[in-house]
């Protein structure tokens, strides 16, 4: 049995760290990260303000990402990720394989939408998001005004699209909460879903 959950987030919302910690807690768990599918800088479009448009789907090789996920679905047990069996894993979950897909632009990409078993979205208020972003080093580096001119508006646009889509079942999580609190919620929610699958 395969189970796919997805962690989506505003930039610097903490999704990658959460995904890595969850992987250690869950049985037979792999991660696919959207960040691994960015096009090279030379292929990313530039807007009229000179900002590189990284926070749009066209900046990513989404077809490759879909292929990677579908390959995992076909044969999760033979994926090339080495999985450690957590001590807490129950015997009855030995034949369940979990894929965490983490990224920042996934729910409005139609070819992926039918795949998710659970959708999570980490949110952050503007000030906290900007503060966290300023502590990170990017290649290429953020140009002056990039956060306000491109990153934050794209996040708001994307989040509004999600909220307007009534058929999209998304659990919104407060990214300002502690990692421990978020992990605890995610772990118990995923285990509930796995037990439903098993039944």
């Amino acid at each position: 049995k395969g189970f796919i959950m997805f962690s989506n987030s505003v930039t610097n919302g903490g999704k990658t760290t959460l995904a890595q910690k969850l992987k250690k807690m869950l049985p037979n768990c792999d991660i696919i990260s959207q960040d691994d599918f960015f096009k090279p800088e030379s292929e990313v479009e530039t807007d009229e303000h000179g900002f590189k448009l990284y926070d749009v789907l066209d900046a990513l090789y989404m077809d490759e990402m879909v292929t990677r996920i579908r390959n995992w679905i076909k044969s999760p047990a033979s994926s090339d990720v080495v999985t450690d069996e957590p001590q807490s894993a129950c015997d009855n979950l030995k034949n369940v394989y979990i894929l965490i897909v983490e990224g920042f632009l996934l729910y409005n990409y139609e070819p992926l939408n039918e795949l998710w078993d659970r959708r999570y979205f980490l949110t952050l208020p503007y000030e906290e998001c900007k503060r966290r972003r300023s502590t990170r080093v990017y290649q290429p580096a953020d140009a002056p005004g990039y956060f306000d001119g491109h990153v934050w508006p794209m996040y708001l646009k994307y989040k509004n699209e999600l909220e307007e889509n009534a058929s999209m079942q998304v659990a919104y999580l407060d990214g300002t909460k502690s990692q421990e609190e978020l992990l605890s919620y995610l772990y118990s929610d995923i285990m509930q879903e796995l037990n439903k699958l098993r039944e």
Side-chain angles (χ1 to χ4, degrees):
K1 292 178 184 174
F3 174 83
I4 303 181
M5 62 151 291
F6 173 70
S7 159
N8 195 88
S9 170
V10 61
T11 179
N12 296 280
K15 63 191 173 302
T16 305
T17 307
L18 274 173
Q20 294 291 348
K21 288 182 176 177
L22 271 173
K23 182 181 187 298
K24 291 177 182 169
M25 297 167 70
L26 296 166
N28 306 317
C29 186
D30 296 336
I31 297 174
I32 290 176
S33 173
Q34 192 175 33
D35 285 355
D36 294 339
F37 298 90
F38 270 114
K39 293 176 180 175
E41 187 183 355
S42 59
E43 291 182 37
V44 176
E45 288 184 34
T46 305
D47 73 3
E48 67 273 17
H49 306 293
F51 294 138
K52 283 281 182 184
L53 301 179
Y54 278 104
D55 288 56
V56 296
L57 286 167
D58 284 346
L60 297 141
Y61 293 119
M62 290 303 293
D63 288 351
E64 288 181 20
M65 185 172 192
V66 171
T67 300
R68 175 94 61 89
I69 293 169
R70 289 196 180 280
N71 286 341
W72 184 92
I73 291 168
K74 281 182 208 158
S75 186
S78 66
S79 70
D80 57 2
V81 181
V82 177
T83 57
D84 298 320
E85 190 76 18
Q87 291 177 340
S88 61
C90 308
D91 287 342
N92 59 12
L93 293 176
K94 280 193 172 157
N95 294 323
V96 173
Y97 294 86
I98 301 166
L99 179 64
I100 299 173
V101 180
E102 62 97 359
F104 66 106
L105 271 180
L106 290 170
Y107 298 150
N108 62 353
Y109 189 65
E110 205 55 49
L112 288 176
N113 268 337
E114 75 227 32
L115 302 179
W116 315 126
D117 294 302
R118 293 293 284 149
R119 296 181 183 92
Y120 304 100
F121 193 103
L122 282 155
T123 63
L124 278 180
Y126 169 84
E127 290 297 343
E128 177 61 13
C129 186
K130 190 170 186 178
R131 184 193 70 74
R132 291 188 192 183
R133 178 99 183 183
S134 70
T135 67
R136 298 276 294 274
V137 177
Y138 290 92
Q139 289 298 330
D142 282 358
Y146 186 69
F147 181 85
D148 289 315
H150 174 62
V151 176
W152 188 254
M154 286 296 102
Y155 161 67
L156 291 179
K157 176 178 179 286
Y158 179 48
K159 186 165 173 276
N160 287 340
E161 285 173 6
L162 284 186
E163 289 168 346
E164 286 167 11
N165 186 345
S167 66
M168 188 81 71
Q169 291 187 309
V170 180
Y172 290 92
L173 308 178
D174 180 355
T176 63
K177 289 187 173 174
S178 71
Q179 286 273 314
E180 291 71 24
E181 204 172 341
L182 290 167
L183 262 179
S184 174
Y185 169 79
L186 285 167
Y187 180 77
S188 60
D189 193 58
I190 292 163
M191 292 309 283
Q192 275 183 0
E193 287 296 314
L194 290 177
N195 285 325
K196 280 186 208 167
L197 258 184
R198 192 169 51 82
E199 289 161 14

